[in-house]
Amino acid sequence: MANLSFLDFFYATTTVPKMLSGLIMEDKKISFQGCIAQLYMFHFMGCTEAMLLTSMSYDRYVAICNPLRYQILMARAVCLQLAFTSWLIGSLYSLSHTVLTSRLPFCKMNKITHFICDIKPLLKLACTDTHLNESLVNIVTGSLGFITFVMIIISYTFIGIHLQNIRSEQGRSKAFSTCTSHLTVVLLFFGTAFCTYLSPVTKDSLEQDRITAVLFTVITPALNPIIYALRNKEVKKAFRRRYFIKWIKSICD
């Protein structure tokens, strides 16, 4: 959770401040170096989040299907290795796209049809054939997204099979509540990411990308803390107490 919270914070700060300065102050300029840096950080954080969500699905599987061995299978060293691997893969993935994109020759036209420096808008400005870069985006990003998503599905398939063997309604409810928040974040993140990076580069697709980009750069990082906080018992009690007081006041008035 600490890794995901840290990542969501920097994921949003990579794009939101510049986007707001463009909307409010109409400062829509960005240097080439700044654009490439934003491209790197954006994909670094995005890929790392996909890896962390996959690691968290394994954590849910161990917690529900092997609770007695949880302290062994998910020891501190294992958690650190999973987190380190997630950040490392995210860094290497982003570096490959950033280097290939930055080496392209760009035309005099320097207007990006997006509010962030993403791969597809930059490819549209290149003065050369970009089919190799587009294929790399589709193959590498598609493969990484598909593999991580399938691993999450496999984890939850085993969890679903295990839940069928739990006769206690309370036990099922507890296990289900453990997975709900994670599944919600997974669907939000992977759904928008697949729509953005697995479609061909066209004028219509770039327009759609701007809409979906708002979801996984602004809305999803903002919703993640709320979604996970709702699992906290103290937060639930605070919500109930607050609404109960409001209900009492409304009756008294």
Side-chain angles (χ1 to χ4, degrees):
M1 276 303 299
N3 276 276
L4 190 63
S5 300
F6 178 81
L7 185 142
D8 282 333
F9 174 77
F10 281 98
Y11 197 14
T13 53
T14 300
T15 57
V16 174
K18 187 61 182 175
M19 180 184 70
L20 292 177
S21 68
L23 292 173
I24 299 172
M25 304 175 62
E26 297 187 357
D27 179 19
K28 300 180 180 180
K29 294 182 179 180
I30 186 171
S31 65
F32 179 75
Q33 292 79 8
C35 185
I36 294 300
Q38 188 183 64
L39 173 68
Y40 173 79
M41 292 302 297
F42 177 69
H43 284 275
F44 174 33
M45 297 298 169
C47 180
T48 304
E49 180 159 0
M51 300 302 300
L52 286 176
L53 289 173
T54 306
S55 300
M56 290 171 70
S57 70
Y58 175 70
D59 176 79
R60 299 296 188 276
Y61 160 74
V62 175
I64 294 173
C65 299
N66 295 283
L68 299 179
R69 300 180 61 197
Y70 181 82
Q71 296 298 331
I72 298 174
L73 295 176
M74 294 302 295
R76 181 177 176 80
V78 176
C79 293
L80 290 174
Q81 288 175 2
L82 288 173
F84 175 77
T85 303
S86 299
W87 288 97
L88 179 62
I89 292 175
S91 177
L92 294 175
Y93 164 83
S94 181
L95 186 64
S96 64
H97 282 305
T98 304
V99 170
L100 288 175
T101 304
S102 63
R103 293 174 64 87
L104 290 172
F106 292 96
C107 302
K108 292 182 179 180
M109 186 178 70
N110 56 3
K111 185 177 180 181
I112 302 175
T113 56
H114 212 297
F115 63 87
I116 56 173
C117 289
D118 202 359
I119 296 176
K120 285 185 177 182
L122 288 174
L123 292 182
K124 293 292 288 184
L125 302 182
C127 299
T128 185
D129 183 37
T130 59
H131 282 91
L132 177 62
N133 297 75
E134 292 178 28
S135 299
L136 181 67
V137 172
N138 291 331
I139 294 172
V140 176
T141 306
S143 299
L144 187 64
F146 178 76
I147 291 171
T148 52
F149 189 70
V150 167
M151 290 176 69
I152 293 173
I153 294 299
I154 291 173
S155 296
Y156 277 103
T157 300
F158 281 110
I159 290 173
I161 294 172
H162 181 77
L163 290 179
Q164 297 298 319
N165 299 324
I166 299 178
R167 296 182 179 181
S168 170
E169 191 67 30
Q170 185 179 0
R172 287 187 181 183
S173 177
K174 185 177 180 181
F176 183 75
S177 65
T178 304
C179 302
T180 303
S181 54
H182 180 256
L183 271 175
T184 304
V185 174
V186 166
L187 292 175
L188 281 172
F189 180 81
F190 280 93
T192 52
F194 283 147
C195 291
T196 301
Y197 295 104
L198 296 187
S199 59
V201 183
T202 61
K203 185 177 180 180
D204 292 335
S205 71
L206 290 176
E207 179 66 30
Q208 180 184 343
D209 289 351
R210 285 197 293 271
I211 299 172
T212 54
V214 174
L215 291 174
F216 64 80
T217 59
V218 181
I219 297 177
T220 302
L223 285 178
N224 283 355
I226 299 173
I227 292 171
Y228 281 106
L230 290 176
R231 287 185 57 242
N232 190 295
K233 291 182 179 179
E234 293 181 1
V235 174
K236 288 181 179 179
K237 288 180 180 178
F239 269 113
R240 288 169 185 163
R241 193 182 303 115
R242 181 180 179 85
Y243 285 112
F244 178 74
I245 292 172
K246 282 186 176 181
W247 179 67
I248 294 295
K249 286 182 177 180
S250 64
I251 294 175
C252 295
D253 293 339

